[in-house]
């Protein structure tokens, strides 16, 4: 309904598109606006135009509808031709390893057609796996996050139990002179956040900061890593980065004293996609270890905390992993995932 009104610029035309009466659409719109607590459209004799918030809601509605259309098309294809090459639907949360991972996607399941979905946050991937809309998911969660109970058929493997989140600051910032930065010292800084993260991460970070006696002063919101980097490089903001993030000119990464903000990395799959999940695990682990070795701040921590990554090497040597089932939690919802921090980390 929201998409139809935004597309037609008219409640009556939207009603005709939806096969409803104009009063019914008006009632639906009032109900939605009351629920959200904001006005989505401005009415005038010329029609209706979206408010800034309405434009954002309509954009997200179109994205949701497109995802539903894709799912319907995939299901219809299998119904029309059961012998057609099967789909392998993989969901990955944006992370530093993703660009290198792209080169290996074709090897995950050579006999399947691959569909890849990349999300900024980890909120949707578990739900899509549970619904059957994805076959394999790789994402991150805060270490204290308790996921919803998984459906019995889903399998779950924690690849990295703990990895500390780093803070990125301008190389000219006084904070850059220290080996580690106290979380409390970030209270008077302007923070940069990711507006597209729909997972548990934003609430987790704010909860950790509240324990240190402050709330992050978020002044900048961006999902574009180049814009994020420029803001941090200029000294206008600080940002949180995954510990495997690559070096950026004018920005230094520092550990937060005591590692209060920590995440874990999880692989989840449906039983029929176990072989593809196993291949993804090996490829990701290999890429991940290369990134660990390339990041001095993280590699020292990695070597000092073997308990944080019991299924991966300390620092040297190739990645050798056993079957994908080793250490997994079948449908338990225990263990964890991990998260993609902000700033294009």
């Amino acid at each position: 309904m929201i998409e139809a009104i935004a597309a037609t610029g008219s409640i009556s035309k939207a009603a005709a598109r939806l096969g409803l009466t104009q009063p019914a659409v008006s009632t639906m719109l009032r109900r939605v606006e009351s629920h959200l607590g904001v006005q989505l459209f401005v009415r005038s004799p010329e029609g209706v135009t979206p408010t800034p918030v309405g434009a954002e809601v309509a954009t997200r509605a179109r994205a949701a509808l497109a995802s539903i259309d894709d799912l319907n098309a995939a299901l219809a294809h299998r119904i029309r031709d059961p012998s057609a090459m099967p789909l392998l639907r993989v969901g990955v949360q944006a992370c530093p390893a993703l660009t290198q991972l792209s080169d290996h996607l074709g090897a995950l399941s050579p006999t399947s057609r691959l569909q890849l979905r990349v999300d900024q946050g980890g909120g949707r991937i578990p739900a899509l796996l549970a619904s059957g809309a994805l076959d394999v998911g790789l994402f991150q969660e805060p270490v204290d996050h308790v996921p919803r109970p998984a459906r019995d058929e889903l399998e779950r493997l924690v690849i990295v139990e703990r990895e500390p989140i780093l803070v990125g600051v301008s190389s000219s910032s006084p904070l850059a002179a220290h080996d580690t930065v106290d979380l409390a010292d970030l209270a008077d800084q302007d923070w940069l956040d990711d507006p597209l993260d729909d997972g548990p991460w934003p609430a987790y970070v704010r909860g950790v900061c509240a324990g240190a006696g402050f709330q992050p002063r978020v002044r900048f919101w961006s999902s574009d890593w180049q814009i994020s980097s420029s803001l941090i490089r200029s000294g206008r903001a600080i940002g949180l980065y995954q510990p495997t993030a690559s070096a950026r000119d004018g920005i230094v990464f520092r550990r937060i004293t005591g590692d209060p903000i920590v995440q874990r990395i999880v692989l989840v799959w449906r039983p029929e996609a176990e072989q593809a999940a196993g291949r993804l695990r090996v490829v990701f682990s290999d890429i991940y270890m290369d990134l660990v070795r390339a990041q001095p701040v993280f590699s020292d921590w990695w070597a000092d905390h073997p308990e944080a990554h019991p299924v991966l090497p300390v620092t040297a040597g190739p990645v050798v992993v056993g079957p994908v089932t080793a250490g997994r939690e079948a449908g338990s919802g225990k263990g964890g995932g991990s998260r993609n921090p902000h700033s294009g980390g």
Side-chain angles (χ1 to χ4, degrees):
M1 179 268 296
I2 292 171
E3 194 280 332
I5 295 175
T8 62
S10 164
I11 291 180
S12 60
K13 291 179 180 178
R17 173 185 289 193
L18 297 171
L20 300 172
T21 66
Q22 180 173 338
V25 172
S26 296
T27 299
M28 291 169 63
L29 178 58
R30 286 195 298 270
R31 186 181 301 126
V32 171
E33 290 180 325
S34 176
H35 172 72
L36 296 177
V38 293
Q39 185 177 2
L40 299 181
F41 295 95
V42 176
R43 288 80 164 171
S44 71
E46 291 75 27
V48 294
T49 56
T51 64
V53 175
E56 175 71 9
V57 172
T59 298
R60 299 198 179 209
R62 291 189 186 102
L65 291 169
S67 296
I68 293 172
D69 289 342
D70 289 343
L71 177 59
N72 287 335
L75 295 175
H77 175 73
R78 294 298 300 276
I79 292 172
R80 289 194 305 268
D81 185 5
S83 64
M85 180 179 288
L87 286 174
L88 176 66
R89 301 159 300 176
V90 179
V92 180
Q93 188 175 351
C95 61
L98 185 58
T99 51
Q100 297 183 47
L101 184 63
S102 301
D103 296 334
H104 302 274
L105 291 175
L108 297 184
S109 184
T111 60
S112 300
R113 293 184 300 114
L114 178 72
Q115 287 187 349
L116 176 67
R117 174 193 176 103
V118 179
D119 280 80
Q120 286 296 107
R124 293 188 179 94
I125 294 176
L128 291 171
L129 285 161
S131 70
L134 287 177
D135 302 303
V136 182
L138 182 68
F139 55 94
Q140 300 115 11
E141 289 175 341
V143 291
D144 66 352
H145 177 66
V146 179
R148 293 180 179 178
R151 293 177 59 173
D152 292 341
E153 66 266 24
L154 291 181
E155 304 286 359
R156 179 183 179 94
L157 172 71
V158 180
I159 297 179
V160 178
E161 297 280 356
R162 291 172 52 235
E163 61 173 18
I165 298 307
L166 307 180
V167 61
V169 302
S170 169
S171 57
S172 61
S173 168
L175 296 175
H178 304 280
D179 292 334
T180 65
V181 176
D182 290 342
L183 183 61
D185 291 339
L186 304 179
D188 59 351
Q189 300 290 318
D190 289 337
W191 289 53
L192 186 146
D193 206 346
D194 188 338
L196 298 183
D197 189 342
D198 59 353
W201 186 259
Y204 165 71
V205 171
R206 283 157 178 76
V208 172
C209 291
F214 73 98
Q215 282 296 315
R217 192 172 68 199
V218 179
R219 295 285 176 83
F220 303 97
W221 301 82
S222 174
S223 292
D224 184 288
W225 70 268
Q226 291 180 316
I227 294 175
S228 300
S229 294
S230 67
L231 288 168
I232 296 171
R233 186 183 305 114
S234 69
R236 292 182 178 274
I238 62 168
L240 297 181
Y241 283 83
Q242 294 197 47
T244 51
S246 59
R248 286 160 170 75
D249 291 339
I251 298 176
V252 296
F253 299 141
R254 292 291 181 261
R255 280 182 53 203
I256 303 174
T257 307
D259 304 318
I261 305 176
V262 191
Q263 66 180 12
R264 60 196 176 203
I265 303 176
V266 165
L267 179 67
V268 179
W269 67 95
R270 304 183 67 80
E272 59 271 22
E274 181 158 0
Q275 289 188 344
R279 294 187 184 100
L280 178 57
R281 177 195 176 189
V282 173
V283 170
F284 175 82
S285 298
D286 195 32
I287 294 171
Y288 185 88
M289 287 308 305
D290 286 342
L291 294 175
V292 171
R293 298 180 188 105
Q295 173 52 273
V297 175
F298 186 36
S299 61
D300 291 341
W301 184 96
W302 184 269
D304 291 338
H305 295 81
E307 77 286 351
H309 47 91
V311 301
L312 291 179
V314 178
T315 53
V319 175
V320 179
V321 296
V324 71
T325 53
R328 74 186 182 190
E329 298 157 2
S332 66
K334 299 177 183 176
S338 171
R339 133 86 193 145
N340 164 43
H342 322 295
S343 315

